[in-house]
Structure formats: structure tokens, C-alpha cells
Amino acid sequence: MAYVYDDQNIFAKILRGEIPNTTVRETEHTLAFADIYPQAPHHVLVIPKGAYVTADHFANEASEAEIVDFWRTFGSICTELGVTPDSAAGYRIISNAGEDGVQEVPHFHLHILAGRGLGRMLNPV
Ligand code: 5GP
């Protein structure tokens, strides 16, 4: 199945500079910025600059350079925020995909949440 990317999504507009953001880190292939509606004291979104819809799309089709850059950027942000479990209380990463994942913005993004106890991962159904 081919992945279909909507280039009018909010994060595509952020990447084109059409919508402002509070940048945490920018590299050749990756942008990290503050979530506009933070759910925790630290709530950073990490996105590839490439047009990928979901984590699986990115994992399946991104170049090795994009993948390495993305995860290294993620790691350095965790270190910079001081949230890694070896130095502090830890964090959670989330990447919602599709309808069941309740993905609001169809451009692959990782949520980094930290700075408070985050509870259990899912509510029981
Ligand atoms: P999703 O539900 O797709 O995993 O998460 C999308 C996230 O994007 C939400 O946490 C939402 O607060 C955030 N968001 C939506 N619009 C904007 C925006 O214009 N700027 C920023 N910085 N975050 C946004």
C-alpha cells in the first residue's frame, strides 16, 4: 500500500515556515518544537523534515541518514532536557498513527513527555 501524504497538514506548514513554532532543535533532517497544548511540563514534538505520515512509513521508507538524524536528535533532546532515567525521573515517547491511534496531525511525530508522573500507558477499556 502506498502512503498518501497531505502537504496541507499543520506540521508541513510549520516546516515551510507558514506557521510559527517554538523550536527546540533543528538539524538537516529533523525539527523538534514545543507542543502548542503541552500535556506535561516537558512536551516536545520531534518530526522528520521529510514527508512521512506515520512511524511505520518513516521506518519503511526514510533514508538511513534521516533515521539516524531523527533518533540522534531525539536522544540529544532527552539529554538536554535532563529527563533520562539515569539522571532524572524519565519520560514517555508516544507516536499516534491512524484512526485507532487517534492521530490528529498526519505527519509522523514523536511526543516526548516528561516532568511529572505520567500514569499508566493506557486506560483500561
Ligand atoms: P497527535 O494527536 O497527532 O499525535 O498529536 C498532534 C499534536 O500536535 C497535539 O499534541 C497538538 O497539541 C499539537 N499541535 C497541533 N497543532 C499544533 C500547532 O499548530 N503547533 C504546535 N506546536 N503543536 C500543534
Side-chain angles (χ1 to χ4, degrees):
M1 191 199 86
Y3 295 99
V4 179
Y5 182 80
D6 170 14
D7 68 4
Q8 293 307 307
N9 77 75
I10 293 269
F11 294 170
K13 292 180 180 178
I14 285 176
L15 285 167
R16 290 195 295 267
E18 296 166 11
I19 292 177
N21 74 91
T22 303
T23 299
V24 171
R25 179 72 59 89
E26 181 166 12
T27 67
E28 183 181 0
H29 296 296
T30 307
L31 180 69
F33 53 97
D35 195 293
I36 202 167
Y37 299 119
Q39 305 291 313
H42 296 297
H43 189 168
V44 176
L45 300 171
V46 188
I47 70 172
K49 291 184 175 177
Y52 302 103
V53 185
T54 54
D56 57 284
H57 186 192
F58 183 70
N60 284 329
E61 297 191 0
S63 68
E64 290 186 13
E66 290 176 298
I67 291 171
V68 169
D69 187 79
F70 182 86
W71 286 105
R72 293 282 192 221
T73 301
F74 155 72
S76 69
I77 291 168
C78 291
T79 303
E80 193 171 286
L81 292 176
V83 300
T84 60
D86 62 329
S87 66
Y91 59 88
R92 177 172 295 154
I93 56 174
I94 297 174
S95 187
N96 299 314
E99 190 181 331
D100 280 359
V102 195
Q103 181 179 11
E104 180 191 333
V105 180
H107 180 112
F108 167 47
H109 52 282
L110 206 62
H111 297 257
I112 305 175
L113 297 150
R116 68 169 172 84
L118 294 162
R120 292 184 65 80
M121 186 170 66
L122 294 173
N123 295 322
V125 287

